[in-house]
Amino acid sequence: MENLCPCGSQKSFEACCGPYLSGKSLPPTAEAVMRSRYTAYTRADVPYLMSTALPGPTWIDDPVRTKAWAESIEWKRLEILHTEKGSPADTDGVVEFKAWYKDKGKLQCLHERSVFNQVNGKWMYASWTIPSYSKAPVGRNDDCPCGSGKKYKKCCGA
């Protein structure tokens, strides 16, 4: 399918995160706002990121720097690992994810547990933690963790 949404839903952008980023509708769940925020990063859509975050430690205090960083990254894929609550009927939810990207030619992974609060019917990014885990190194002949289906040595390890 052409124009797949960057969030990994296997839907078109127009049928997935597009309506959220354009303001035509609101993400109905914590996972949907997480996916839309990832998509916003792939598009360096800082106004959307700011509009979906509560003031505090998640707040973007320098939109120009955030936009420049988002544009400098080669976004690879979003992997949703686990969700807790976060349905339309809930007031809070947690989404654990891995966001794979290349920065200066090196494959990176942001592994985060994001907390979301529903405020007046709108899901908002509230806080985050980084889970403690041991990261096994990627071998040259392993499948590339970016999800391309290629071996690491022929993809992000090249």
Side-chain angles (χ1 to χ4, degrees):
M1 177 186 288
E2 289 186 35
N3 198 20
L4 283 179
C5 191
C7 80
S9 67
Q10 298 304 307
K11 298 177 185 174
S12 71
F13 173 74
E14 294 77 19
C16 192
C17 293
Y20 309 144
L21 272 65
S22 71
K24 291 180 181 172
S25 62
L26 294 174
T29 64
E31 182 177 335
V33 80
M34 174 64 245
R35 288 181 178 278
S36 68
R37 286 178 56 80
Y38 173 84
T39 298
Y41 271 108
T42 70
R43 294 169 165 260
D45 187 342
V46 176
Y48 182 80
L49 295 168
M50 293 176 72
S51 75
T52 56
L54 292 173
T58 62
W59 191 251
I60 295 171
D61 60 352
D62 187 343
V64 173
R65 189 180 72 214
T66 300
K67 183 175 179 65
W69 176 78
E71 289 175 337
S72 74
I73 300 299
E74 182 184 343
W75 297 97
K76 292 299 200 175
R77 74 178 173 122
L78 175 66
E79 180 181 355
I80 302 293
L81 302 174
H82 179 72
T83 59
E84 298 169 19
K85 299 173 36 175
S87 76
D90 293 319
T91 57
D92 58 68
V94 175
V95 179
E96 183 175 351
F97 69 92
K98 289 183 178 179
W100 296 91
Y101 61 94
K102 276 180 101 171
D103 185 13
K104 298 179 181 89
K106 185 175 179 187
L107 185 65
Q108 303 284 330
C109 177
L110 170 63
H111 183 180
E112 182 178 304
R113 284 180 52 89
S114 297
V115 176
F116 295 88
N117 299 131
Q118 192 170 178
V119 179
N120 298 322
K122 182 178 179 182
W123 282 102
M124 302 290 285
Y125 181 52
S127 65
W128 56 273
T129 58
I130 296 177
S132 59
Y133 68 101
S134 61
K135 185 176 177 183
V138 179
R140 289 180 36 79
N141 291 314
D142 292 340
D143 291 335
C144 192
C146 80
S148 67
K150 298 177 184 176
K151 296 293 182 190
Y152 180 70
K153 67 183 176 188
K154 297 282 187 179
C155 189
C156 293

